[in-house]
Amino acid sequence: MWLYVVALLLGLFLLRRWHRERQTVPRLSEKHVLITGCDSGFGALLARQLDARGLRVLAACLTEAGAAQLRAATSNRLQTVLLDVTSSKSIADVTAWVRERVGSGGFQDPGTPLGSLALRSGDVSASKGVPGARTRLLCAHDGMPGGCQELPLTPPSVSALLGAAAPADAPTSGRRELRPFGVRVSIIEPGGFQTRIIDPTPLVKDFVRLWERLPAEAQAAYGRHYVDKYAKSTTLLQRLSSSRLSHVTDAMTHALLSRCPRSRYAAGWDALLIFVPLSYCPAWLSDTLIGLFLPTPASAI
């Protein structure tokens, strides 16, 4: 008897969640979305998807060629701007550019922070004027340092959200810290996807160049096999990664446009079955499992 009651309650809960998550925010044509890293990969695909949904996309690209290619594939609503995240002047210029185009129409008071600017390739996006949250911020939680950091368009003291190797409560702390400023944070936890960031050719080339610059003592400590194992692991990672980038951008789209976005999104089968569960394992277990796929220095104990 109790089993049927539990099953019924679970079914009602899932049905209610499904219904809530299908509801999108109104007046999408009035919303602005800022996306960085739009030359290729997640950023470019997300920009095209949101433009097709009628949003006013502000796409930041590193190169004019990437910006031109994106403009050719989208409507005239989408606007591009060049952004070099390593340049303070470039960031300041883009901040002023965004303020000029967005204005304060989406906020209830002129003192509200304008929005949020990303640091890395399509990892972070911000939407202005969404009911229930004045700003929405997406942060990648993928094991790479960087994520989302404080910039001129963000509220003060924004915590840096690192990757899956960071403490389990790091993204949660960031969400709590930003909530009083009217910023709703959703964390995207992707698995392996075939973007330029994991292209083995430039990765191995850069790794070898750095290896050749090491002192002889350091090279002896690691051993030449360390370089060879790194090259094989990088190639294997690329082969095992998915080419369907839409798994990630669909999660980003839902987080931005849903009336009831989730706090976390796992994108890809490997994220669901391996990486996210691994992040909750004891450190000794996760270190051991990850270490099986990493090269070992020659002088390791």
Side-chain angles (χ1 to χ4, degrees):
M1 176 62 181
W2 287 108
L3 184 60
Y4 290 108
V5 173
V6 172
L8 176 61
L9 292 176
L10 178 60
L12 292 174
F13 169 78
L14 293 176
L15 181 62
R16 179 176 181 272
R17 178 181 173 180
W18 173 81
H19 175 69
R20 283 165 55 87
E21 290 190 346
R22 283 178 59 86
Q23 299 180 49
T24 58
V25 298
R27 304 187 304 276
L28 291 182
S29 61
E30 300 175 11
K31 314 302 181 187
H32 287 82
V33 181
L34 171 64
I35 310 173
T36 68
C38 291
D39 298 78
S40 62
F42 298 134
L45 181 56
L46 180 62
R48 294 199 299 270
Q49 283 187 218
L50 295 181
D51 175 69
R53 295 290 295 271
L55 283 86
R56 302 177 184 180
V57 177
L58 307 178
C61 300
L62 179 62
T63 66
E64 179 56 44
Q69 185 176 13
L70 182 61
R71 288 194 299 269
T74 54
S75 72
N76 56 11
R77 287 187 305 272
L78 183 141
Q79 301 180 63
T80 60
V81 64
L82 297 185
L83 171 64
D84 178 359
V85 297
T86 66
S87 167
S88 298
K89 182 180 183 305
S90 179
I91 293 175
D93 290 343
V94 171
T95 300
W97 181 84
V98 173
R99 288 187 185 278
E100 179 182 345
R101 278 150 184 79
V102 174
S104 59
F107 299 101
Q108 298 176 7
D109 64 85
T112 304
L114 172 64
S116 300
L117 185 62
L119 265 185
R120 289 174 40 238
S121 185
D123 288 344
V124 184
S125 309
S127 176
K128 160 193 159 297
V130 180
R134 293 172 183 165
T135 303
R136 291 192 184 180
L137 180 64
L138 306 186
C139 291
H141 183 40
D142 59 359
M144 299 293 292
C148 86
Q149 299 182 12
E150 182 176 353
L151 286 170
L153 293 180
T154 64
S157 302
V158 175
S159 297
L161 302 185
L162 302 180
D169 63 344
T172 304
S173 299
R175 289 194 299 110
R176 285 196 295 263
E177 184 177 353
L178 292 175
R179 183 174 291 275
F181 293 97
V183 179
R184 181 154 190 170
V185 178
S186 290
I187 303 161
I188 310 298
E189 301 174 295
F193 289 89
Q194 294 179 5
T195 63
R196 291 182 180 178
I197 197 171
I198 64 166
D199 186 345
T201 301
L203 285 177
V204 173
K205 182 179 179 180
D206 290 341
F207 191 82
V208 171
R209 185 178 70 253
L210 293 174
W211 162 265
E212 293 173 345
R213 295 179 180 177
L214 290 176
E217 297 82 3
Q219 291 185 358
Y222 282 90
R224 180 67 196 188
H225 77 282
Y226 191 92
V227 179
D228 298 335
K229 178 67 180 296
Y230 175 84
K232 292 179 180 179
S233 299
T234 304
T235 302
L236 179 62
L237 172 63
Q238 199 271 343
R239 289 177 178 174
L240 294 178
S241 296
S242 172
S243 60
R244 296 188 62 181
L245 305 187
S246 59
H247 287 309
V248 176
T249 56
D250 286 347
M252 291 178 171
T253 299
H254 185 273
L256 285 171
L257 305 187
S258 173
R259 279 186 175 271
C260 302
R262 303 177 190 176
S263 296
R264 308 175 82 121
Y265 293 82
W269 68 266
D270 47 352
L272 286 167
L273 301 180
I274 301 176
F275 300 127
V276 171
L278 194 62
S279 68
Y280 291 98
C281 290
W284 67 266
L285 178 58
S286 60
D287 290 346
T288 300
L289 295 176
I290 294 175
L292 297 175
F293 300 93
L294 298 178
T296 304
S299 59
I301 300 176

